[in-house]
Structure formats: structure tokens, C-alpha cells
Amino acid sequence: LIWREWRNVAYFEKITWVELLIDDTPLIVKLSSYDNEKRFIAVEMLKRLLKDGRINPVYIEKTYHDVVQQLDNLLMEKGKEALAMLNIPMMKPDIVRMIGQFHFRYSYGQNLWIHSIEVAKMAEAIAAEMWLHTMMAKKAWLLHDIGKIATENGQSHTKVWADILRKYGFDEIIINTAEWHHY
């Protein structure tokens, strides 16, 4: 894994943006990153590299691209799974991928993918009791926190997401839910 003067470790960290910590204890390697998606990529890469045994910069890069493709497929699958669970028709691929990104995100200790699905189901039940549009309620509340995927530090996820929803031509009710759900 280490090779000449830590060359493989340095390249692994450069390509993944994840710190590789090799412990003094035999067979212990730790990966450090605040970004769950990057950490997922690094873990999957490390598993493949160690299983195969070919560890060099060329193979590290090839493995990286393979795992990134696998992650993209996983994000689309998780997005489609959420839509299927809620019986919501297919949306644009960018939106489906963002829904899938919830699988790797947490807010206040709760997984955002599970949170969004649960909130959408509760919104559907409330809308049904009040004789309101249940599909609109499910869509609005499935998407209510998706702005957390696209925000930079210091930005309001509600404002960012409302702008994205406008760009994709969503109904004003859904935009309003995303923009004002904290109030």
C-alpha cells in the first residue's frame, strides 16, 4: 500500500481528498473526511485495491473512476427507490440524483433520505385527511430539504433550493414549501 516514500498514499489522498491514516497497529488503516460521499469512494477504492493487490498510481486512478461511476449509479438507484416508495412519477435525472444524495447526508443525527421519505408520507396522510392534493404534498415534502445538497457554507438551504426548483419549473406550491418550511 505504501510503496516508495509513501507515493501511493500521497496519490490516493490527492485523488480522493480523503486522508489515509496508517496506524502502528498491524493491518489498521483509517480514512478521514467530513464528506460522506468522498469517504464512501475512498473505502470502496481501498477494498478493491487491497483485494486485487495492484496498487500503483495508474491503477489507483482507474479504480477511482470505476468507484465514482458506481456511486453515481447508487445515487440514481436510491433516488428512484425513494420515488417508487412514495409512488411519485419519475423526475428529471438531476433531481433524482439529488434525492439519492440524501442517502449519504445527515442532519441533526438523522439520515436525510429516511427523513424526507417519512415527512413525505406524513404530508400525504395529512393532505388526504384535509382533502388536499396528496401527490403535491408528497413531492413538496420529499424535496423540502434537498437544498442542503447544493448549499455552500453560510447559505440558506431553503433559498438555494427554491431557486433550483424555479429553474426546473416546479409548481409554486412545492417551491413555497421548500422556501418557507422552517417558518
Side-chain angles (χ1 to χ4, degrees):
L1 179 63
I2 297 172
W3 206 52
R4 290 186 192 150
E5 299 172 2
W6 296 75
R7 183 177 97 174
N8 289 338
V9 172
Y11 194 73
F12 184 92
E13 290 178 344
K14 177 183 175 190
I15 200 166
T16 62
W17 290 83
V18 174
E19 189 176 1
L20 188 65
L21 305 166
I22 299 177
D23 199 337
D24 292 338
T25 309
L27 303 174
I28 301 289
V29 175
K30 296 179 183 177
L31 297 168
S32 177
S33 173
Y34 287 109
D35 187 316
N36 293 332
E37 288 178 34
K38 288 179 183 173
R39 201 170 49 248
F40 172 83
I41 290 169
V43 166
E44 291 301 312
M45 281 180 62
L46 196 55
K47 286 179 188 175
R48 289 183 187 189
L49 291 168
L50 292 173
K51 182 178 180 182
D52 184 82
R54 292 182 288 175
I55 304 172
N56 60 61
V58 171
Y59 196 65
I60 289 170
E61 187 165 346
K62 179 191 177 306
T63 304
Y64 173 78
H65 293 296
D66 290 346
V67 172
V68 166
Q69 181 63 43
Q70 174 192 353
L71 175 64
D72 286 339
N73 293 340
L74 175 66
L75 295 177
M76 289 300 289
E77 286 173 23
K78 292 306 280 184
K80 289 175 183 177
E81 183 181 343
L83 294 175
M85 287 173 72
L86 296 167
N87 293 320
I88 295 175
M90 188 52 64
M91 296 181 185
K92 296 186 183 198
D94 293 346
I95 303 297
V96 174
R97 187 180 192 287
M98 285 185 209
I99 294 168
Q101 283 179 289
F102 274 169
H103 180 66
F104 289 103
R105 303 293 168 103
Y106 290 82
S107 182
Y108 302 107
Q110 186 178 20
N111 179 275
L112 289 180
W113 190 80
I114 293 169
H115 166 72
S116 295
I117 291 169
E118 288 173 347
V119 170
K121 287 179 180 180
M122 286 187 281
E124 178 185 29
I126 292 169
E129 279 190 34
M130 298 177 71
W131 297 89
L132 299 173
H133 197 293
T134 57
M135 182 60 70
M136 186 77 70
K138 282 193 297 190
K139 282 183 188 178
W141 287 98
L142 174 64
L143 300 173
H144 81 281
D145 266 345
I146 210 161
K148 292 180 178 181
I149 302 298
T151 57
E152 302 286 323
N153 290 338
Q155 289 180 306
S156 166
H157 74 279
T158 57
K159 176 72 173 126
V160 169
W161 184 237
D163 293 342
I164 292 170
L165 287 170
R166 281 187 186 92
K167 179 180 119 181
Y168 282 100
F170 276 86
D171 190 279
E172 196 59 38
I173 294 171
I174 295 173
I175 296 168
N176 193 25
T177 303
E179 197 164 25
W180 299 103
H181 74 270
H182 282 277
Y183 305 100

